Amino acid sequence: MKPYYLTTAIDYTNAPPHIGHAYEKILADVMVRFQRLAGREAYFLTGADQHGQKVQKSAEKEGVSPAQFVDDITAKFIAMWDRLNVRYDHYAQTVDPKHKKVVQAMLQKLHDCGQLYKQSYGGFYSVRQEQFLTDKERGPDGNFGEEWGEVVELQEENWYFRLSEHVEWLRGYIKSHPDFIFPAFRANDVLNALEGGQDLCISRPVERLSWGIPLPFDERFVNYVWFDALTNYISFAGYLADEVGNEGMPDFAKLWPADAHVIGKDILVPAHAIYWPIMLHALGFSDEQIPRLIVHGWWNIKGAKMSKSVGNVVGPAELADLVTVDGLRFYLMRSMATGYDADLSVDRMIIDVYTGELLKGLGNLLNRAVNMAQKYRSGLLAASSYDDDLNKALRQTVAEAPARYSEKMNAWAIHEGIAEAWKIVDHGNKFVEDTAPFKLAKDPEQAARLDSILAHLAEAVAHVSVLLSPIMPDACAEIRRQLNWQMPDGFTVNDLKWGLLPAGHQLNEPKILFPRIELEGDKK
Ligand code: MSP
């Protein structure tokens, strides 16, 4: 079977990682871990977008070379993904000579088949957005709005890509492939943007921008940063590897197309939904080789877009310090419906999610299961012939969860996948209240019933530790350590059946999974 090939956007290396970047990488990491848990081979590519005007400008400001500048920032991204347990198979860097060779070969191909031409153009240019502006971009007052930053008038020769030639093909492709963009409603934005499509300027003169990949057929120009960046999805997947002599690359024929390009809504139109499929189409990729786009929403603060200038950027490191890495991963996955925006609230993260759900829900259930088994049975799960409706109902919840969870996870509804697993957590805690094992423990006549309850609880928690493992890998490994149970090699979500912990199984000592967070001002 084809490996599941997933990429994220590659992050601009003009500023360090923020929570929006972290969300996207965690979302991707969760999906890749889930695919593996479902028994599928997966390949996860993420990386850094290191060329372009933004980087050149930021480096100039700091008085360092662009190469040095991107190296420093890239190291921060890599360290952050390491800390947040984002486990990718390769980290794409656009300064990589292997990538450069593929970009140049790709440009040469487009040039050779007449897809590129040179033309002189005069107009207004936004330095911040690195693009020429048209009247469409003018505000009601006739001026270019603040979002464009510094706007200068330019007249210059450049290379153009015959984008408009393929617009009709793309329109047809989008209409006949409802799965191309998730969530589907975003396809309308793309169709609207296709109206009046123009050709795309794909070069910048070296005098203006030297920090880029030179056009192989005209070295007075470097490649436009988006053309360079988008190509990472194929260059690091082994595209043209033999032709350009790239060794040690994945087998492109096996890996392509990407099953998911995970990106934010801000870079859907025009880059990913227009430029990218048209680039591939112009290069001769068939309709079956067009990748799928998974478009997530934005994290806002109290409804406002997060930005450095507003001064409300919340760092992933600070948040992980507060609620642990798994707490942050859980909060981000739990609190956003993939595709829609959400508000980031530190209060909600600490009070409702970490304390309310992780500590009082999952942590409590684990602690009850292991603690009571230790206290009443020295951690040994005994065989019991006792059964009743409460036991049966819990077994039913546990039995139903994996299939429902998998369906949601496969559909990118991670928050709903979590909710399916959480039904076991809630039911498990209610089961303790309904059966009151602490009372039964005082009555020797109830020994068989108590044994059955302890076994049911431990078994339920073992199931949860599998289902939530893509979202909270460390916490779930810790649950399994306390249960003294490991997932056997090659174990998949489909192998989840009642009886993971057989009679006679010995549990380890309990340990608090999610410690209470002491906030400033809390009385000790
Ligand atoms: N370099 C381009 C992508 C090139 S992909 C061939 C870029 N980089 S970025 O650093 O600005 O953004 C990287 C990703 O982070 C994008 O998918 C973007 O949508 C996402 N996010 C940036 N801020 C975000 C939020 N506040 N919330 C959620 N995701 C956001 O664009």
Side-chain angles (χ1 to χ4, degrees), residues 408-423:
K408 301 293 186 191
M409 296 294 282
N410 267 317
W412 287 93
I414 314 293
H415 65 300
E416 291 177 0
I418 292 175
E420 292 300 338
W422 220 259
K423 287 182 181 162

PDB file of all heavy atoms in Angstrom, residues 408-423:
ATOM      1  N   LYS A 408     -13.610   9.327  12.989  1.00  0.00           N
ATOM      2  CA  LYS A 408     -13.433  10.769  13.184  1.00  0.00           C
ATOM      3  C   LYS A 408     -12.010  11.194  12.857  1.00  0.00           C
ATOM      4  O   LYS A 408     -11.788  12.210  12.208  1.00  0.00           O
ATOM      5  CB  LYS A 408     -13.735  11.163  14.636  1.00  0.00           C
ATOM      6  CG  LYS A 408     -15.141  10.829  15.085  1.00  0.00           C
ATOM      7  CD  LYS A 408     -16.157  11.660  14.368  1.00  0.00           C
ATOM      8  CE  LYS A 408     -17.553  11.417  14.923  1.00  0.00           C
ATOM      9  NZ  LYS A 408     -18.573  12.014  14.076  1.00  0.00           N
ATOM     10  N   MET A 409     -11.051  10.423  13.324  1.00  0.00           N
ATOM     11  CA  MET A 409      -9.648  10.791  13.088  1.00  0.00           C
ATOM     12  C   MET A 409      -9.344  10.779  11.588  1.00  0.00           C
ATOM     13  O   MET A 409      -8.698  11.682  11.074  1.00  0.00           O
ATOM     14  CB  MET A 409      -8.711   9.830  13.822  1.00  0.00           C
ATOM     15  CG  MET A 409      -8.817   9.853  15.332  1.00  0.00           C
ATOM     16  SD  MET A 409      -8.298  11.415  16.086  1.00  0.00           S
ATOM     17  CE  MET A 409      -6.519  11.261  16.035  1.00  0.00           C
ATOM     18  N   ASN A 410      -9.831   9.764  10.889  1.00  0.00           N
ATOM     19  CA  ASN A 410      -9.602   9.688   9.445  1.00  0.00           C
ATOM     20  C   ASN A 410     -10.208  10.877   8.716  1.00  0.00           C
ATOM     21  O   ASN A 410      -9.745  11.262   7.654  1.00  0.00           O
ATOM     22  CB  ASN A 410     -10.213   8.396   8.883  1.00  0.00           C
ATOM     23  CG  ASN A 410      -9.184   7.290   8.859  1.00  0.00           C
ATOM     24  OD1 ASN A 410      -8.035   7.501   8.481  1.00  0.00           O
ATOM     25  ND2 ASN A 410      -9.588   6.101   9.276  1.00  0.00           N
ATOM     26  N   ALA A 411     -11.255  11.445   9.297  1.00  0.00           N
ATOM     27  CA  ALA A 411     -11.926  12.584   8.664  1.00  0.00           C
ATOM     28  C   ALA A 411     -11.367  13.916   9.193  1.00  0.00           C
ATOM     29  O   ALA A 411     -11.987  14.963   9.008  1.00  0.00           O
ATOM     30  CB  ALA A 411     -13.421  12.506   8.911  1.00  0.00           C
ATOM     31  N   TRP A 412     -10.219  13.884   9.836  1.00  0.00           N
ATOM     32  CA  TRP A 412      -9.560  15.088  10.349  1.00  0.00           C
ATOM     33  C   TRP A 412     -10.344  15.772  11.479  1.00  0.00           C
ATOM     34  O   TRP A 412     -10.046  16.911  11.832  1.00  0.00           O
ATOM     35  CB  TRP A 412      -9.294  16.098   9.217  1.00  0.00           C
ATOM     36  CG  TRP A 412      -8.183  15.632   8.330  1.00  0.00           C
ATOM     37  CD1 TRP A 412      -8.301  14.903   7.192  1.00  0.00           C
ATOM     38  CD2 TRP A 412      -6.779  15.837   8.532  1.00  0.00           C
ATOM     39  NE1 TRP A 412      -7.056  14.627   6.667  1.00  0.00           N
ATOM     40  CE2 TRP A 412      -6.112  15.204   7.467  1.00  0.00           C
ATOM     41  CE3 TRP A 412      -6.011  16.514   9.501  1.00  0.00           C
ATOM     42  CZ2 TRP A 412      -4.727  15.195   7.342  1.00  0.00           C
ATOM     43  CZ3 TRP A 412      -4.632  16.521   9.367  1.00  0.00           C
ATOM     44  CH2 TRP A 412      -4.008  15.867   8.303  1.00  0.00           C
ATOM     45  N   ALA A 413     -11.358  15.101  12.024  1.00  0.00           N
ATOM     46  CA  ALA A 413     -12.102  15.686  13.146  1.00  0.00           C
ATOM     47  C   ALA A 413     -11.442  15.204  14.439  1.00  0.00           C
ATOM     48  O   ALA A 413     -12.015  14.404  15.186  1.00  0.00           O
ATOM     49  CB  ALA A 413     -13.558  15.270  13.076  1.00  0.00           C
ATOM     50  N   ILE A 414     -10.245  15.710  14.693  1.00  0.00           N
ATOM     51  CA  ILE A 414      -9.459  15.228  15.830  1.00  0.00           C
ATOM     52  C   ILE A 414     -10.203  15.468  17.147  1.00  0.00           C
ATOM     53  O   ILE A 414     -10.225  14.618  18.028  1.00  0.00           O
ATOM     54  CB  ILE A 414      -8.074  15.933  15.908  1.00  0.00           C
ATOM     55  CG1 ILE A 414      -7.392  15.977  14.533  1.00  0.00           C
ATOM     56  CG2 ILE A 414      -7.193  15.283  16.967  1.00  0.00           C
ATOM     57  CD1 ILE A 414      -6.958  14.684  13.959  1.00  0.00           C
ATOM     58  N   HIS A 415     -10.827  16.643  17.247  1.00  0.00           N
ATOM     59  CA  HIS A 415     -11.529  16.958  18.505  1.00  0.00           C
ATOM     60  C   HIS A 415     -12.652  15.960  18.757  1.00  0.00           C
ATOM     61  O   HIS A 415     -12.953  15.632  19.897  1.00  0.00           O
ATOM     62  CB  HIS A 415     -12.034  18.401  18.490  1.00  0.00           C
ATOM     63  CG  HIS A 415     -13.075  18.670  17.447  1.00  0.00           C
ATOM     64  ND1 HIS A 415     -12.833  18.499  16.099  1.00  0.00           N
ATOM     65  CD2 HIS A 415     -14.355  19.094  17.546  1.00  0.00           C
ATOM     66  CE1 HIS A 415     -13.920  18.797  15.429  1.00  0.00           C
ATOM     67  NE2 HIS A 415     -14.858  19.168  16.277  1.00  0.00           N
ATOM     68  N   GLU A 416     -13.277  15.476  17.669  1.00  0.00           N
ATOM     69  CA  GLU A 416     -14.351  14.490  17.849  1.00  0.00           C
ATOM     70  C   GLU A 416     -13.786  13.095  18.120  1.00  0.00           C
ATOM     71  O   GLU A 416     -14.397  12.298  18.823  1.00  0.00           O
ATOM     72  CB  GLU A 416     -15.270  14.479  16.621  1.00  0.00           C
ATOM     73  CG  GLU A 416     -16.081  15.755  16.517  1.00  0.00           C
ATOM     74  CD  GLU A 416     -16.959  15.813  15.279  1.00  0.00           C
ATOM     75  OE1 GLU A 416     -16.953  14.856  14.476  1.00  0.00           O
ATOM     76  OE2 GLU A 416     -17.640  16.837  15.114  1.00  0.00           O
ATOM     77  N   GLY A 417     -12.618  12.816  17.560  1.00  0.00           N
ATOM     78  CA  GLY A 417     -11.936  11.556  17.871  1.00  0.00           C
ATOM     79  C   GLY A 417     -11.609  11.509  19.359  1.00  0.00           C
ATOM     80  O   GLY A 417     -11.819  10.485  20.038  1.00  0.00           O
ATOM     81  N   ILE A 418     -11.143  12.644  19.871  1.00  0.00           N
ATOM     82  CA  ILE A 418     -10.857  12.728  21.308  1.00  0.00           C
ATOM     83  C   ILE A 418     -12.144  12.491  22.103  1.00  0.00           C
ATOM     84  O   ILE A 418     -12.154  11.747  23.089  1.00  0.00           O
ATOM     85  CB  ILE A 418     -10.251  14.113  21.665  1.00  0.00           C
ATOM     86  CG1 ILE A 418      -8.856  14.249  21.040  1.00  0.00           C
ATOM     87  CG2 ILE A 418     -10.201  14.312  23.181  1.00  0.00           C
ATOM     88  CD1 ILE A 418      -8.219  15.618  21.227  1.00  0.00           C
ATOM     89  N   ALA A 419     -13.217  13.104  21.640  1.00  0.00           N
ATOM     90  CA  ALA A 419     -14.491  12.957  22.363  1.00  0.00           C
ATOM     91  C   ALA A 419     -14.923  11.493  22.410  1.00  0.00           C
ATOM     92  O   ALA A 419     -15.487  11.037  23.419  1.00  0.00           O
ATOM     93  CB  ALA A 419     -15.570  13.819  21.711  1.00  0.00           C
ATOM     94  N   GLU A 420     -14.664  10.745  21.342  1.00  0.00           N
ATOM     95  CA  GLU A 420     -15.034   9.319  21.341  1.00  0.00           C
ATOM     96  C   GLU A 420     -14.222   8.559  22.392  1.00  0.00           C
ATOM     97  O   GLU A 420     -14.750   7.722  23.118  1.00  0.00           O
ATOM     98  CB  GLU A 420     -14.823   8.693  19.950  1.00  0.00           C
ATOM     99  CG  GLU A 420     -15.779   9.207  18.876  1.00  0.00           C
ATOM    100  CD  GLU A 420     -17.260   8.950  19.186  1.00  0.00           C
ATOM    101  OE1 GLU A 420     -17.568   8.043  19.974  1.00  0.00           O
ATOM    102  OE2 GLU A 420     -18.112   9.690  18.647  1.00  0.00           O
ATOM    103  N   ALA A 421     -12.933   8.852  22.465  1.00  0.00           N
ATOM    104  CA  ALA A 421     -12.099   8.198  23.481  1.00  0.00           C
ATOM    105  C   ALA A 421     -12.528   8.637  24.882  1.00  0.00           C
ATOM    106  O   ALA A 421     -12.489   7.862  25.845  1.00  0.00           O
ATOM    107  CB  ALA A 421     -10.629   8.535  23.248  1.00  0.00           C
ATOM    108  N   TRP A 422     -12.945   9.887  24.950  1.00  0.00           N
ATOM    109  CA  TRP A 422     -13.313  10.441  26.272  1.00  0.00           C
ATOM    110  C   TRP A 422     -14.584   9.810  26.839  1.00  0.00           C
ATOM    111  O   TRP A 422     -14.828   9.865  28.042  1.00  0.00           O
ATOM    112  CB  TRP A 422     -13.449  11.971  26.186  1.00  0.00           C
ATOM    113  CG  TRP A 422     -12.880  12.605  27.409  1.00  0.00           C
ATOM    114  CD1 TRP A 422     -13.570  13.077  28.486  1.00  0.00           C
ATOM    115  CD2 TRP A 422     -11.491  12.782  27.695  1.00  0.00           C
ATOM    116  NE1 TRP A 422     -12.693  13.533  29.440  1.00  0.00           N
ATOM    117  CE2 TRP A 422     -11.419  13.369  28.981  1.00  0.00           C
ATOM    118  CE3 TRP A 422     -10.306  12.506  27.026  1.00  0.00           C
ATOM    119  CZ2 TRP A 422     -10.202  13.686  29.593  1.00  0.00           C
ATOM    120  CZ3 TRP A 422      -9.107  12.818  27.621  1.00  0.00           C
ATOM    121  CH2 TRP A 422      -9.054  13.393  28.886  1.00  0.00           C
ATOM    122  N   LYS A 423     -15.373   9.228  25.958  1.00  0.00           N
ATOM    123  CA  LYS A 423     -16.568   8.542  26.468  1.00  0.00           C
ATOM    124  C   LYS A 423     -16.149   7.431  27.430  1.00  0.00           C
ATOM    125  O   LYS A 423     -16.847   7.143  28.401  1.00  0.00           O
ATOM    126  CB  LYS A 423     -17.381   7.947  25.310  1.00  0.00           C
ATOM    127  CG  LYS A 423     -18.115   9.011  24.518  1.00  0.00           C
ATOM    128  CD  LYS A 423     -18.953   8.398  23.421  1.00  0.00           C
ATOM    129  CE  LYS A 423     -19.652   9.485  22.623  1.00  0.00           C
ATOM    130  NZ  LYS A 423     -20.123   9.000  21.322  1.00  0.00           N
TER     131      LYS A 423
END
